[in-house]
Amino acid sequence: MRVSKTTAPGPAVPAPGCGWYLSAPALAAAGVYGGTVWTVRSWASCPLGNDASNTIGLTLLMPVVWLCMTLLLLLSPLALRGWLSRGRGRRAAKWLAPLTMVIALTLLYRLGMGWPVHPPGGLCVEGYPLFPFTG
């Protein structure tokens, strides 16, 4: 009888745990709040920016942006599954990936809200867009 020695399989790549999925709404809320505060402060110099209707448009926009950001963060483990299964540092990357995505989505949200244009010799007469990238 011949006995062969086999090597034990390497450690299985753990699937993203509940912590990743539970942190997505909180990270998205922080990103939306930060992007909204940044937008309000950027538009504060315009008469139709920060002072127009007590920023009701941005307040109503926040749940929509939060929902979109949360869904993207919840789908990110599926997109990153193959990438996180290879190489060293995958445990750290598993937690840095959502943070990086939140920062990128917050910057995208802020970029979509635009910046006020101050014509020479006059005040800014436009308000922030009602939805990102709509102008």
Side-chain angles (χ1 to χ4, degrees):
M1 177 191 287
R2 186 175 174 171
V3 177
S4 65
K5 196 177 202 182
T6 60
T7 59
V13 177
C18 292
W20 191 333
Y21 295 108
L22 292 176
S23 67
L27 288 173
V32 169
Y33 179 76
T36 302
V37 168
W38 189 7
T39 299
V40 168
R41 289 185 180 176
S42 295
W43 284 91
S45 62
C46 283
L48 294 177
N50 189 20
D51 298 331
S53 70
N54 295 325
T55 64
I56 190 72
L58 282 178
T59 305
L60 294 175
L61 177 67
M62 286 176 73
V64 175
V65 175
W66 175 81
L67 182 65
C68 294
M69 202 178 283
T70 301
L71 290 175
L72 286 172
L73 286 172
L74 289 174
L75 291 175
S76 65
L78 297 174
L80 298 174
R81 184 178 310 188
W83 182 71
L84 290 177
S85 66
R86 297 185 302 264
R88 295 175 23 201
R90 63 180 172 239
R91 200 175 277 262
K94 186 171 82 171
W95 291 105
L96 288 176
L99 292 173
T100 305
M101 286 187 66
V102 165
I103 291 170
L105 290 170
T106 301
L107 290 173
L108 186 65
Y109 168 50
R110 178 61 196 103
L111 178 67
M113 295 307 285
W115 278 267
V117 177
H118 295 280
L123 291 174
C124 173
V125 293
E126 58 186 50
Y128 46 74
L130 296 177
F131 201 77
F133 298 104
T134 57

